[in-house]
Amino acid sequence: MDQLWSPWRFAYVTTADGAPRPGVPARLNAWPGDLHCVFCNLIASVNYAIEHGMSADDAEEAGGLVKRGKHCFICMNAYPYTSGHVMVMPYAHLDRIAKLEADVAHELMDLAQMTERALEQLYRPHGFNFGLNLGQAAGAGVAGHLHMHAMPRWVGDTNFMTTVAETRVLPEDLGTSWKRLRETFAAIEK
């Protein structure tokens, strides 16, 4: 019998009834606040760690932050559908595209374009999924904070595990994905 090993899912399974402060990674739990939003908590806990002596690289790795912009950032999806599944979002807690200031909306698209180039270079996929789910009825898991999913896709990447067992098998752990993506984004900017 084959066994699947997916240690990153442990956090999801053990907090299925609701994390006390969603979005605060264990290594960044010194942050004392709670903004009641997984993404706002994530960025606040990373910033707090940096302000209190943790190196930016260590704090951003702990939080899965791949790239920061002036108004938006890119972070790993903690429960990815594919290796390389990231999200692009504004720092501001907004729930609609129409609420974004023009410069924020432009940066969101600029980072989405950069993400496409990075995923193409790193994973050589056959295609991509980029999408926004606005509102709970549209499938947004975090309806209050707009975020764009971005992931590489391959022909045939849906197999019996996904269709029959409702299980995704990912060949790369989140730490490795973060490191490789971070290096790729840095190389693209040069």
Side-chain angles (χ1 to χ4, degrees):
M1 173 184 285
D2 291 329
Q3 294 181 339
L4 298 177
W5 176 247
S6 59
W8 59 91
R9 299 287 294 172
F10 182 75
Y12 178 78
V13 172
T14 59
T15 61
D17 60 348
R21 293 184 311 154
V24 179
R27 287 178 38 207
L28 304 178
N29 68 4
W31 177 61
D34 186 359
L35 300 172
H36 307 289
C37 168
V38 63
F39 303 130
C40 292
N41 280 350
L42 171 66
I43 200 69
S45 63
V46 168
N47 289 340
Y48 181 88
I50 293 168
E51 291 165 5
H52 288 83
M54 184 180 278
S55 76
D57 281 345
D58 287 346
E60 291 175 356
E61 179 182 13
L65 266 69
V66 177
K67 167 111 181 93
R68 288 178 183 252
K70 182 177 179 184
H71 306 288
C72 302
F73 65 98
I74 302 167
C75 69
M76 301 296 302
N77 187 313
Y79 308 104
Y81 187 76
T82 67
S83 294
H85 184 170
V86 297
M87 297 174 291
V88 184
M89 70 191 76
Y91 295 111
H93 185 82
L94 299 170
D95 63 350
R96 294 287 184 262
I97 298 169
K99 293 180 181 178
L100 296 175
E101 296 290 329
D103 53 344
V104 178
H106 285 280
E107 186 176 85
L108 185 78
M109 269 305 126
D110 290 343
L111 290 177
Q113 289 176 324
M114 184 181 282
T115 297
E116 181 183 355
R117 289 191 299 273
L119 293 174
E120 174 69 37
Q121 182 175 322
L122 183 58
Y123 292 103
R124 301 286 184 217
H126 300 131
F128 301 94
N129 284 129
F130 277 76
L132 295 155
N133 298 321
L134 303 178
Q136 187 175 6
V142 180
H145 198 129
L146 178 140
H147 56 285
M148 178 187 296
H149 290 266
M151 67 190 85
R153 298 300 304 269
W154 296 266
V155 172
D157 69 0
T158 299
N159 59 32
F160 82 96
M161 290 298 290
T162 302
T163 57
V164 176
E166 297 182 10
T167 301
R168 296 293 294 176
V169 180
L170 304 171
E172 187 174 67
D173 67 85
L174 288 175
T176 300
S177 294
W178 177 85
K179 183 175 190 269
R180 294 178 68 213
L181 281 163
R182 182 85 161 204
E183 290 168 355
T184 303
F185 273 92
I188 286 173
E189 289 185 299
K190 290 182 181 180

